[in-house]
Amino acid sequence: QVQLVESGGGLVQTGGSLRLSCGASGSIFSIDRMAWYRQGPGKQREFVARISSSGGTNYADSVKGRFTISRDNAKNTVYLQMNSLQPRDTAVYYCNMYVRRVAGWLDYWGQGTQVTVSS
């Protein structure tokens, strides 16, 4: 079994910063892409950022220039540094990893961490 555990969410004022972390544990051979998604109140889950195994990154237009995704392969951990936070960034943030196990490649999700930005 593989578990993804997120941390770092919380309440912050407009213009503030937060750093989210997500660590994977369990029977893992390797991890390909790592990503963050979010789901705001009354909205569908949306893509935020992605980082490949080689370090290539992609961002949603809404967070470009404000958020930075990074990874520590030795720790099976992905980070999301969020700066200049706005109320529209309020959401539950989920990490996602494409993990290689004995049975093959599978997608895994974290339980989510709440980020609330007050105006």
Side-chain angles (χ1 to χ4, degrees):
Q1 187 63 285
V2 174
Q3 286 190 324
L4 274 56
V5 179
E6 297 138 341
S7 62
L11 174 64
V12 64
Q13 292 185 333
T14 296
S17 298
L18 283 174
R19 189 191 193 209
L20 305 183
S21 300
C22 175
S25 62
S27 301
I28 299 170
F29 282 161
S30 62
I31 302 176
D32 187 17
R33 66 177 183 274
M34 298 180 175
W36 289 94
Y37 288 74
R38 68 185 181 186
Q39 187 167 12
K43 299 180 180 179
Q44 291 188 333
R45 190 173 298 189
E46 64 176 2
F47 167 75
V48 175
R50 178 188 301 117
I51 184 166
S52 70
S53 57
S54 60
T57 57
N58 297 97
Y59 295 92
D61 288 343
S62 58
V63 306
K64 280 181 182 177
R66 301 187 298 123
F67 291 11
T68 302
I69 189 170
S70 61
R71 63 190 286 168
D72 184 332
N73 292 327
K75 296 181 179 180
N76 290 334
T77 298
V78 62
Y79 305 96
L80 186 67
Q81 177 66 44
M82 305 185 294
N83 299 328
S84 302
L85 283 162
Q86 303 295 317
R88 67 177 183 268
D89 296 315
T90 294
V92 177
Y93 284 71
Y94 299 90
C95 65
N96 167 258
M97 297 187 186
Y98 194 48
V99 178
R100 183 185 175 195
R101 301 189 63 214
V102 173
W105 291 92
L106 293 171
D107 253 326
Y108 289 91
W109 292 87
Q111 81 286 355
T113 185
Q114 177 70 47
V115 171
T116 303
V117 185
S118 63
S119 57

